[in-house]
Amino acid sequence: MQNESLLGAIEAGGTKFVLAVARTPGDILARQEIPTLTPEDTLAEAARWFDAQGRLSALGIATFGPAQLDESAPDWGHILDTPKPGWSHCDLAGYFARRYGIPIGFDTDVNGAALAEYCMGAGQGAAGMAYVTVGTGIGGGLVLGGELVHGAGHPEMGHYHSKRAADDVSYSGFCPFHGDCLEGLASGPAILDRWGATLSDLGSEHEAVDRVAGYLGQLCHSLFALTAVETVVLGGGVTKTPGLLGKIDESARLAGNNYLPGRARQKIVPPALGDNAGVTGALLLAEAARAS
Ligand code: ZN
């Protein structure tokens, strides 16, 4: 009987799917990771695992992008054009909706993690929160008035343009679309391309740390200035570099020059949920889908 109330969750990533079931989002009963292969194999494998857990009442999916989040679009719940072979236009939400006939919550993995950090992690109680992850790419989600911001799509904070430092103009950037947008300057692959090593391996004294902190700090300042969020949660592999967060904070303060009226309350913090942020977000999406 208890199984009737199980929430299911999928964090769909480019290399692995994280699956979980729970009665409430904060109380994961079982968790499983499976490799991301073809859509046919991966979705069938996920369904087999869910079948073995009991009956689901709702499923939340937090997926790699780009994804169609517009509920009025005919392809809502699909992956859009992706370089990942076989996955373009995969009907992720539809597959499970057809199989289980239950409500499906669907959002990006970054929005899922943002929701989880806001509801249960480092952003709890914040008067607005932005979540930024800096790793293979740079992604961001925004929670205002207690709700994830969607608008015409989903935020793409990685393609924000920082102002280049006057003495740092020679590197052309690594983004295939924009060159030296933030992702082209401060993502893991950009750092590797430019300096030949990860930021952690380069060490906190290396100029790369100041450069990257400078550009990420500008994004944080802009988030504070544009949205008045109280908290920016900054996660992802690159942000684990020792000393980086402090330098980003310093750079954001410099960019703001003590002008913003709410700045004393505004802060930059690391995430609190670690590797479970995405899947916890998917459980929150499931809970919301069940309630709606
Ligand atoms: Zn870009």
Side-chain angles (χ1 to χ4, degrees), residues 6 15 42 61 97 105 135 156 182 187 196 202 247 258 266 286 289:
L6 279 184
T15 57
T42 311
I61 302 171
E156 282 285 3
L182 188 63
S187 65
L202 290 166
K247 288 186 173 183
N258 295 318
Q266 291 174 312

Side-chain angles (χ1 to χ4, degrees), residues 10-13 61-65 67 69 79 92 106-110:
I10 299 175
E11 181 190 7
I61 302 171
T63 181
F64 66 90
L69 305 183
I79 305 277
L92 209 44
F106 185 79
D107 215 318
T108 65
D109 49 0
V110 175

Side-chain angles (χ1 to χ4, degrees), residues 159 175 178 181:
H159 302 283
C175 175
H178 318 108
C181 68

Side-chain angles (χ1 to χ4, degrees), residues 134-198:
V134 187
T136 311
I138 297 179
L142 195 55
V143 180
L144 295 176
E147 301 282 339
L148 280 167
V149 171
H150 286 105
H154 48 79
E156 282 285 3
M157 297 186 194
H159 302 283
Y160 161 89
H161 280 260
S162 298
K163 185 173 162 188
R164 295 293 293 267
D167 61 347
D168 182 33
V169 291
S170 59
Y171 179 65
S172 59
F174 198 64
C175 175
F177 303 101
H178 318 108
D180 64 350
C181 68
L182 188 63
E183 191 167 292
L185 291 174
S187 65
I191 293 163
L192 207 56
D193 176 61
R194 182 172 181 183
W195 288 290
T198 67

